[in-house]
Amino acid sequence: MSRAFQPLTIPASAGIGLRSPHISEMLTRRPSAGWLEVHAENYMGDGAAVEALERLRQIYPLSVHGVGLSLGSAQGVDRDHLERLRKVCERFQPDLVSEHLAWSVADGAYLNDLLPLRYDEAALAIVARNVATVQDTLKRRVLIENLSAYVAFADSSMNEAEFLAELVAQTGCGLLLDVNNVQVSAHNLQYDAKTFIDALPADAIGEIHLAGHATNQVGADTVLIDDHGSRVPPVVWGLYHHAISHLGPRPTLIEWDTDVPVLDVLLGEAMWADMLSASIMFSRKQAARQIAPTVALPLPSLPAFESTQTSMPVLAAFAAARAKPAMHMAVPTIEGGYHAAA
């Protein structure tokens, strides 16, 4: 097992993925955002973007998300790439560092994809060894992200949630719970998304990702594609509601990598995440008050807090805004007012 590292924290609020079209506006406007996340590989050299990130790091908490370590590679992680990642962490001092449970290197060639593993003891030994190497090099705990899946290995001896839980036990790593990935995989492979989330070690989950996905029709089958190219859909918001109800608040990122919209759209999605998380915690406090011991002095009777099937007015707003085209114009108005006030 890797040695214990000093835990680093980021606010349990919603942040956004920093994309190049938004860097200048982030610097000039400095909008309200809980934190920023960047892809490590985009900041391994020098240039205007790197200089801008050094300035933004002084304003916003930062998370670094890697996509190229190939933790599932049997030949081990690329030491040169790991050294570049170490320098990124040393330079920007991020509060969180994360990578994917995947492999993307074969015979020294980098593949433009994050490919799944067979979940068995042999693969676990490889990934655990690689995660330990990364954590010992970076001298920090790394969060490992669950992958979007479209096929599964027939000879896996455990499921992904069991694999991740064992990886945490063996290496002391943390987990990045990508709720959209869970929904995509659960739909494509036909398992229960909430059961997957509940099976993960809750204390290990240090970050959550939210994103949109595409729906493709393949013959008679519907396949979900993790494209990060749209707003978070209601089904993912519903799964996020379950996750936060189960885990409590966690740093939550809005991911958007294709067809990147204007900055206010990302900030608006982050606002929804913050509202939903706050609403869940409010409901929890109200429920706790209802079961508190009766005090000796008489108190005025108060109406009971009523929960709905969605448990949150926010989810009802999501459903209404997404279901009725005429209401789409109301969403930017709400977001604009929020950011004007911020």
Side-chain angles (χ1 to χ4, degrees), residues 138-154:
L138 301 183
K139 296 180 173 56
R140 62 169 69 219
R141 190 187 203 196
V142 175
L143 308 181
I144 307 303
E145 179 182 348
N146 58 290
L147 202 62
S148 291
Y150 308 95
V151 295
F153 289 91

Side-chain angles (χ1 to χ4, degrees), residues 15-234:
I16 62 171
L18 180 65
R19 300 297 176 256
S20 55
H22 303 146
I23 291 176
S24 177
E25 189 175 359
M26 289 295 300
L27 284 168
T28 55
R29 278 181 56 191
R30 299 189 178 189
S32 176
W35 49 285
L36 302 177
E37 184 164 280
V38 298
H39 287 163
E41 286 73 13
N42 293 334
Y43 295 89
M44 289 181 170
D46 291 304
V50 173
E51 294 175 4
L53 186 60
E54 288 182 330
R55 294 167 60 190
L56 288 169
R57 178 67 183 96
Q58 306 306 312
I59 306 168
Y60 302 98
L62 181 67
S63 173
V64 164
H65 189 48
V67 297
L69 277 179
S70 191
L71 294 175
S73 293
Q75 65 268 35
V77 295
D78 183 326
R79 294 292 181 146
D80 292 335
H81 188 83
L82 179 55
E83 176 60 16
R84 290 190 289 269
L85 177 60
R86 187 195 67 78
K87 289 180 178 179
V88 166
C89 293
E90 184 178 74
R91 183 172 192 169
F92 298 107
Q93 293 298 305
D95 297 284
L96 295 176
V97 178
S98 55
E99 248 291 355
H100 300 83
L101 181 64
W103 65 276
S104 56
V105 178
D107 296 328
Y110 277 82
L111 308 174
N112 190 28
D113 210 341
L114 297 168
L115 301 173
L117 308 172
R118 186 177 64 245
Y119 300 126
D120 61 14
E121 293 296 335
L124 179 62
I126 290 169
V127 177
R129 183 177 68 244
N130 290 340
V131 168
T133 297
V134 172
Q135 293 189 140
D136 290 339
T137 300
L138 301 183
K139 296 180 173 56
R140 62 169 69 219
R141 190 187 203 196
V142 175
L143 308 181
I144 307 303
E145 179 182 348
N146 58 290
L147 202 62
S148 291
Y150 308 95
V151 295
F153 289 91
D155 54 350
S156 288
S157 59
M158 60 185 88
N159 61 41
E160 186 183 20
E162 292 168 337
F163 190 97
L164 286 166
E166 188 59 32
L167 184 65
V168 169
Q170 290 192 21
T171 68
C173 71
L175 297 179
L176 193 169
L177 171 60
D178 191 311
V179 173
N180 181 63
N181 287 0
V182 174
Q183 176 60 31
V184 167
S185 299
H187 172 88
N188 292 338
L189 303 183
Q190 295 297 295
Y191 62 78
D192 185 74
K194 293 179 180 179
T195 299
F196 178 96
I197 291 173
D198 294 347
L200 297 173
D203 291 345
I205 298 174
E207 182 181 340
I208 290 176
H209 277 185
L210 297 175
H213 56 255
T215 301
N216 286 17
Q217 202 67 31
V218 181
D221 297 323
T222 300
V223 179
L224 301 186
I225 306 296
D226 179 34
D227 67 346
H228 296 179
S230 58
R231 292 179 183 270
V232 180

